[in-house]
Amino acid sequence: MKITLLLVGKTDNKLYAEGIEDYVNRINHYTSFDIKVISDLKNTKNLTENQQKEKEGELILKNIENKSVVVLLDEHGKEFRSVEFANWLENKQQTIKQLTFVIGGPYGFSKSVYERANEKISLSKMTFSHQMVRLLFTEQIYRACTIIRNEHYHHE
């Protein structure tokens, strides 16, 4: 299975970027994984939050392959414990070829992106910065890969 993490805007924080790169390299030992970055919108001062979501939504949809199963990281999505997420991911590995996770911009997703999505998941009931979510989520994908292989990274 090929996994893509689609992001709106680059990771500005150097420490987060280094951590993300480390986990991307680790994940690629288990499965094909890449990060696709959609450039930040320009001149957003004159746009409402809704207009910004719509414009970002158009860019998100252009960057998703037709055959891909799409999972949004969304505050209203299903929450998993790490072992549950690993089981969910393992099931996906057996049933699909392309999985795209999407982390949207600061105002969330447009209606059209929600309509395209197959599922929504949430990392926590707490709110994290979009920069931090990227690092936390790549670590969770790595953790899931090690759980699937019964490796000694995750402890219960």
Side-chain angles (χ1 to χ4, degrees):
M1 177 175 69
K2 181 177 186 210
I3 302 172
T4 300
L5 177 57
L6 185 58
L7 309 173
V8 175
K10 66 179 182 149
T11 304
D12 295 326
N13 184 302
K14 182 182 174 187
L15 291 175
Y16 293 157
E18 289 172 359
I20 291 165
E21 183 179 336
D22 179 47
Y23 284 115
V24 168
N25 291 333
R26 292 180 190 207
I27 294 165
N28 273 301
H29 292 288
Y30 299 93
T31 190
S32 174
F33 179 78
D34 70 325
I35 293 181
K36 204 174 198 183
V37 179
I38 297 170
S39 296
D40 284 317
L41 295 176
K42 308 291 183 219
N43 303 317
T44 57
K45 291 178 186 175
N46 298 327
L47 298 177
T48 66
E49 289 179 14
N50 207 40
Q51 289 171 323
Q52 190 168 333
K53 283 195 305 190
E54 289 301 318
K55 288 189 177 290
E56 287 174 351
E58 291 169 12
L59 295 172
I60 289 169
L61 293 174
K62 284 181 185 176
N63 281 278
I64 296 174
E65 295 181 31
N66 289 336
K67 64 185 181 231
S68 190
V69 171
V70 177
V71 180
L72 305 181
L73 271 75
D74 184 86
E75 64 185 336
H76 302 292
K78 179 180 170 103
E79 290 184 32
F80 293 101
R81 291 178 52 254
S82 294
V83 171
E84 294 167 341
F85 179 65
N87 291 335
W88 177 90
L89 187 61
E90 185 174 30
N91 184 17
K92 295 291 183 208
Q93 288 175 328
Q94 296 170 8
T95 58
I96 63 172
K97 293 183 180 178
Q98 174 69 37
L99 179 61
T100 301
F101 293 103
V102 185
I103 299 175
Y107 304 116
F109 298 106
S110 67
K111 182 180 177 192
S112 59
V113 173
Y114 279 116
E115 289 170 354
R116 171 60 178 90
N118 301 93
E119 296 183 52
K120 297 182 294 185
I121 63 173
S122 173
L123 285 179
S124 171
K125 291 180 182 178
M126 294 182 177
T127 301
F128 301 106
S129 73
H130 282 72
Q131 298 284 310
M132 189 176 292
V133 166
R134 299 161 184 211
L135 176 59
L136 293 172
F137 189 62
T138 53
E139 190 279 338
Q140 284 300 299
I141 293 173
Y142 173 69
R143 182 177 297 273
C145 291
T146 65
I147 290 169
I148 291 166
R149 292 263 183 97
N150 272 337
E151 295 177 356
H152 299 289
Y153 179 77
H154 179 76
H155 306 283
E156 285 241 335

